[in-house]
Amino acid sequence: MTFETITIDRQGPVWLLTLNRPQRLNSMNQAMLGELKEACDRMEADPECRVVVVTGAGKAFTPGFDLQDQAANTPVGREAWQPVLQRDFDNVIRFWTLSKPTIAAVNGPALAGGCELAMACDITIAGESATFGEPEVKFGAGIVVMLLPWIVGPKKAKEIAFLGRDQLTAEEACEIGMVNQVVPDDEVLTTALAMARAVAVVDPMVMRRTKQQINETMEIAGMGRALDRSLEIDLELEAEGSDDKKAFLNELREGGLRGALAWRDRRFDV
């Protein structure tokens, strides 16, 4: 399997999927989202794949969806935004719905859509220097995959979302349930792979049914309907358009990402 933005290393029954745009900290552009869909389709269909480990190349897991994609080709209106947000949503939640167990090996920043991807995986292992967060409100955007209240509870979810917190440490993320284990940075991938190999020993039918039991418990509690409705609300937000988002994207076009982030952070220097 040859891809441009991801790699897949088949280690027997464990398949290691690496987000591979290190020059952009593995931000998820439209090309990567397309390749993630294809990779997940293949992993779902191949009986040789029993467990999936997801990590990032270089110093980051992923900061989320590529904002420079939006700056270069900004959707306008509900009809234009709908397929963009649906694609974002589908490619993250796929790691929750995949019948094979999924393990995130978070080796650096996991922000916005990247934080959501880490939460969507069944188990999350983080390095000591990894950071998590949902900074969307700081630049006038919404959260695409609203897993936060299901993972950390509504009170903590509101704190993170309202403040756009994007510097949650791995230890704090572990304390509130976003992360299963925190390990030294140089042990993140080896720990995740060792766990994956242990899971892969189990009869895949038993593992598939066990994941189904847990996921359907959440489904009965209303998680699926809530996520769908949250996506509809995010679509309404983006279709209406925030002045903050317009200003941020303009700063991004004129001064690049560094300049846009500096503009964003100056607004919250209070």
Side-chain angles (χ1 to χ4, degrees):
M1 288 177 279
T2 302
F3 299 99
E4 293 183 3
T5 65
I6 64 175
T7 64
I8 294 182
D9 179 13
R10 300 175 58 164
Q11 301 182 15
V14 176
W15 289 24
L16 173 62
L17 188 159
T18 303
L19 309 177
N20 191 33
R21 298 182 73 212
Q23 73 282 7
R24 296 292 300 278
L25 299 179
N26 307 316
S27 59
M28 295 184 285
N29 62 1
Q30 293 301 301
M32 181 181 284
L33 292 173
E35 293 189 340
L36 284 173
K37 181 184 184 305
E38 182 180 350
C40 285
D41 287 346
R42 294 189 189 187
M43 292 184 295
E44 185 68 77
D46 195 326
E48 296 299 316
C49 175
R50 292 193 176 190
V51 186
V52 177
V53 175
V54 186
T55 195
K59 298 180 179 180
F61 184 65
T62 171
F65 306 114
D66 194 333
L67 293 172
Q68 292 192 352
D69 268 4
Q70 288 188 24
N73 185 24
T74 307
V76 178
R78 186 183 181 91
E79 290 187 4
W81 271 108
Q82 196 280 330
V84 173
L85 294 180
Q86 190 67 57
R87 191 180 199 188
D88 292 348
F89 178 92
D90 290 345
N91 279 281
V92 168
I93 206 64
R94 186 70 182 277
F95 289 85
W96 179 276
T97 60
L98 201 70
S99 69
K100 319 293 174 77
T102 55
I103 301 174
V106 181
N107 55 312
L111 305 175
C115 184
E116 293 151 38
L117 175 58
M119 288 189 290
C121 289
D122 299 314
I123 296 171
T124 304
I125 309 298
E128 290 173 331
S129 66
T131 53
F132 298 81
E134 296 276 20
E136 288 90 339
V137 298
K138 287 185 175 180
F139 53 89
I143 295 174
V144 178
V145 190
M146 186 55 83
L147 285 166
L148 263 179
W150 296 91
I151 303 297
V152 306
K155 299 287 282 189
K156 200 67 181 179
K158 288 176 181 178
E159 176 191 327
I160 293 168
F162 290 2
L163 295 175
R165 293 192 61 189
D166 56 2
Q167 289 294 324
L168 291 166
T169 66
E171 287 292 350
E172 185 174 359
C174 191
E175 289 172 2
I176 62 177
M178 294 172 71
V179 167
N180 294 82
Q181 291 184 30
V182 179
V183 299
D185 289 341
D186 59 0
E187 296 178 15
V188 175
L189 190 54
T190 56
T191 301
L193 289 171
M195 184 179 290
R197 287 191 293 270
V199 172
V201 171
V202 179
D203 183 326
M205 181 277 290
V206 173
M207 191 56 62
R208 182 178 70 253
R209 294 301 189 191
T210 301
K211 178 170 178 174
Q212 181 183 6
Q213 285 178 308
I214 298 170
N215 280 12
E216 289 197 11
T217 298
M218 303 297 285
E219 189 68 26
I220 290 167
M223 178 175 167
R225 288 185 294 109
L227 289 175
D228 288 343
R229 178 58 185 144
S230 292
L231 180 61
E232 289 179 6
I233 295 170
D234 190 36
L235 175 57
E236 292 165 6
L237 182 159
E238 295 291 2
E240 184 174 347
S242 161
D243 289 339
D244 289 348
K245 179 74 168 288
K246 293 172 186 175
F248 178 82
L249 291 179
N250 190 54
E251 291 286 340
L252 184 56
R253 295 184 194 101
E254 294 182 357
L257 184 58
R258 187 184 299 273
L261 291 177
W263 170 86
R264 181 200 70 179
D265 292 341
R266 283 196 300 272
R267 299 173 63 235
F268 294 90
D269 187 18
V270 294

